[in-house]
Amino acid sequence: MMSLSIASPSPSPSGVTFTSKINLSKSSFHGIRIPKIIQARAVNAPPPSCPSLVVKMAKREEELKEIRTKTTEELQEEIVDLKGELFMLRLQRSARNEFKSSEFLRMRKRIARMLTVKREREVEEGINKRISRKLDRKWKKSIVPRPPPSLKKLREEEAAEEAKESAS
């Protein structure tokens, strides 16, 4: 491997010298790479406006307001339902059925927001992290397994179809 070093012979008036090492190898040289030039914006300049970002932020704020209006018990019930829905999506993915992959992220984020609101309430009550974990373990043990809402709806639709067929 051959090494090439370039340095300016005399210091520039600003006191900055340019030094560069370029490693040349017959087997790995595939041309010259030019680094991308990143434009730096002024410190005081406002960030570029993005209407979709503003809309997403507004939706998130609305969702958080909706979540905060619910009681802790309602939050826990909805968390259980959403986790069941997430499980159903995983089953659909493993069975290679059609599903929306964006639903995974949406549900996980909604669950995370609910858990965050739940933890905020615990902090307000003065419950520390250790006690919170104990309460979570106790709550998880008390959960009664039940089918998620989407599965209930699917069963109801199948029952309605069977009723129509038997009536005909």
Side-chain angles (χ1 to χ4, degrees):
M1 180 185 283
M2 187 169 59
S3 179
L4 176 67
S5 180
I6 303 171
S8 60
S10 63
S12 62
S14 64
V16 177
T17 59
F18 172 73
T19 309
S20 174
K21 285 190 175 183
I22 302 172
N23 291 328
L24 298 176
S25 173
K26 291 182 181 178
S27 62
S28 67
F29 184 73
H30 299 291
I32 299 173
R33 291 191 179 151
I34 302 172
K36 291 182 181 178
I37 299 172
I38 302 172
Q39 294 179 352
R41 61 183 171 95
V43 177
N44 301 4
S49 62
C50 182
S52 64
L53 183 64
V54 173
V55 171
K56 287 180 184 177
M57 297 268 292
K59 284 182 181 178
R60 188 180 315 142
E61 291 298 321
E62 288 175 15
E63 188 176 8
L64 275 173
K65 284 179 185 176
E66 174 193 333
I67 291 171
R68 285 196 168 103
T69 59
K70 296 181 180 182
T71 65
T72 306
E73 290 78 25
E74 289 174 347
L75 280 179
Q76 289 176 340
E77 291 296 316
E78 194 164 346
I79 288 170
V80 170
D81 289 342
L82 284 173
K83 284 190 175 187
E85 292 293 332
L86 202 55
F87 178 72
M88 292 301 295
L89 275 177
R90 286 191 190 112
L91 285 178
Q92 288 179 355
R93 180 175 62 186
S94 67
R96 299 181 189 255
N97 292 343
E98 286 188 24
F99 65 95
K100 290 185 178 179
S101 59
S102 62
E103 290 294 309
F104 281 105
L105 183 64
R106 189 186 64 78
M107 281 187 198
R108 284 185 10 232
K109 283 191 174 188
R110 184 154 174 93
I111 290 170
R113 287 186 186 115
M114 289 182 178
L115 290 172
T116 302
V117 169
K118 182 180 162 198
R119 180 66 186 134
E120 285 173 355
R121 290 179 183 170
E122 288 175 352
V123 169
E124 287 174 2
E125 294 172 10
I127 298 173
N128 65 16
K129 198 171 186 178
R130 180 180 233 165
I131 296 172
S132 173
R133 297 273 166 91
K134 279 186 177 179
L135 292 173
D136 281 346
R137 274 188 244 119
K138 194 181 290 184
W139 170 66
K140 286 178 182 176
K141 287 180 183 176
S142 71
I143 295 173
V144 177
R146 62 177 190 266
S150 64
L151 189 60
K152 288 179 186 175
K153 185 187 278 187
L154 185 66
R155 287 181 181 169
E156 289 172 0
E157 290 173 0
E158 288 175 356
E161 287 178 13
E162 288 177 13
K164 286 180 183 178
E165 290 176 4
S166 63
S168 299

